[in-house]
């Protein structure tokens, strides 16, 4: 078993907190509130410790030690369902986390999914993001438009990575320290741009546990799906570790 200085953090990647079983695509990624509550409780009952983004980054930098079986909870896209259904569950349990917001879609909808024939769902506005921050979630950046960043020309990467961060900071939410790649999509060019932009870390959707010494612009996360019973998620997190 790794010593305290080498412990990693299992980073969970959630999306919607609602029942979308009617949607043939988004339904797989949406976790209903009761299931989310069961997953969080099962992880804690199994000895996992929920940590904050600050704790995780300090540990990855070697400035702090993580508890055994550390878990960081993250939410992509900043759906309104997180504000409505997820935040109360996190508050009740004192669980911190990160919500990755799309600067160009704050208060709008997931129009990228609607264009693909999927359910169009509302995203949190600035007040909702502020409520998330008050509940203990750090606001991270999910780029500006939710385009796959590997398809974005060099001339437009600045807007996706730098201007988007500035736009979120201008909402009074604090300066985002981390980024999550839309669709997990990244390559060497994009990762280099992320590092130049000054992000302290960037997250993919490749399964694994984030540890010190890893490429900070390509940290793994465990995607949580509607098929993950509480027991199954515990097993997946243990397996990733």
């Amino acid at each position: 078993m790794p010593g305290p200085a080498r412990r990693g953090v299992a980073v969970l990647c959630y999306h919607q907190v609602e029942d979308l079983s009617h949607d043939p695509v988004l339904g797989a990624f949406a976790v209903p509130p009761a299931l989310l509550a069961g997953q969080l409780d099962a992880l804690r009952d199994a000895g996992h410790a929920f940590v904050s983004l600050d704790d995780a980054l300090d540990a990855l930098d070697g400035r702090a030690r993580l508890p055994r079986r550390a878990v960081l909870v993250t939410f992509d896209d900043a759906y309104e369902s997180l504000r409505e259904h997820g935040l109360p569950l996190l508050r009740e349990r004192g669980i911190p986390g990160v919500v990755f917001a799309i600067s160009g879609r704050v208060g709008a909808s997931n129009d990228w999914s609607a264009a693909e024939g999927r359910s169009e769902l509302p995203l949190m506005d600035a007040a909702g993001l502020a409520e998330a921050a008050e509940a203990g979630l750090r606001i991270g950046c999910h780029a500006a438009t939710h385009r796959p960043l590997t398809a974005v020309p060099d001339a437009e990467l600045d807007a996706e990575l730098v201007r988007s961060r500035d736009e979120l900071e201008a909402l009074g939410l604090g300066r985002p320290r981390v980024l999550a790649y839309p669709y997990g999509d990244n390559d060497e060019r994009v990762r280099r741009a992320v590092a130049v932009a000054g992000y302290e870390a960037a997250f993919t959707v490749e399964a694994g546990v984030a540890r010190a010494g890893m490429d900070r612009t390509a940290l793994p996360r465990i995607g949580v799906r509607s098929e993950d019973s509480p027991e199954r998620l515990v097993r997946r997190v243990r397996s990733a570790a």
Side-chain angles (χ1 to χ4, degrees):
M1 180 176 294
R6 297 182 59 230
R7 289 175 184 155
V9 55
V11 185
L12 302 182
C13 175
Y14 285 93
H15 289 82
Q16 304 91 344
V17 184
E18 58 185 308
D19 185 351
L20 292 178
S21 55
H22 62 279
D23 190 301
V25 178
L26 296 184
F29 302 96
V31 174
L35 178 56
L36 173 61
Q39 291 170 341
L40 298 175
D41 292 342
L43 286 165
R44 181 164 278 169
D45 290 345
H48 291 276
F50 295 101
V51 299
S52 69
L53 174 65
D54 293 352
D55 291 337
L57 292 178
D58 285 347
L60 292 174
D61 283 340
R63 299 194 302 266
R65 292 182 175 183
L66 288 169
R68 292 180 68 247
R69 300 177 181 171
V71 171
L72 173 63
V73 180
T74 72
F75 296 86
D76 281 7
D77 306 324
Y79 283 98
E80 177 66 16
S81 62
L82 168 60
R83 184 201 65 77
E84 183 177 357
H85 303 299
L87 294 186
L89 299 176
L90 297 171
R91 285 195 195 96
E92 289 171 7
R93 293 160 176 77
I95 295 176
V98 186
V99 54
F100 291 103
I102 306 155
S103 69
R105 305 306 301 157
V106 173
S109 70
N110 62 335
D111 60 349
W112 66 91
S113 288
E116 299 165 358
R118 306 172 186 178
S119 300
E120 184 167 4
L121 305 169
L123 305 178
M124 284 193 280
D125 59 13
L129 292 173
E131 184 178 341
E134 292 170 2
L137 275 68
R138 288 281 189 168
I139 308 303
C141 187
H142 205 35
T145 62
H146 205 274
R147 287 183 291 172
L149 293 180
T150 56
V152 174
D154 289 344
E156 298 177 28
L157 265 182
D158 181 74
E160 291 287 347
L161 299 176
V162 178
R163 193 174 72 199
S164 59
R165 181 182 58 192
D166 294 342
E167 289 172 346
L168 291 173
E169 183 180 20
L171 296 176
L173 302 169
R175 188 167 181 80
R177 302 173 65 187
V178 293
L179 174 135
Y181 299 108
Y183 307 101
D185 189 73
N186 70 95
D187 59 16
E188 183 177 353
R189 177 185 69 102
V190 171
R191 293 192 298 273
R192 185 167 56 247
V194 166
V196 170
Y199 286 98
E200 296 180 48
F203 294 91
T204 70
V205 291
E206 296 295 323
V209 170
R211 299 185 188 279
M214 285 183 170
D215 181 351
R216 292 287 290 273
T217 63
L219 294 177
R221 288 190 295 172
I222 300 167
V224 185
R225 299 169 68 94
S226 59
E227 66 185 10
D228 286 319
S229 68
E231 297 76 18
R232 185 174 189 271
L233 183 58
V234 169
R235 291 196 299 270
R236 290 187 62 208
V237 172
R238 292 283 178 85
S239 177

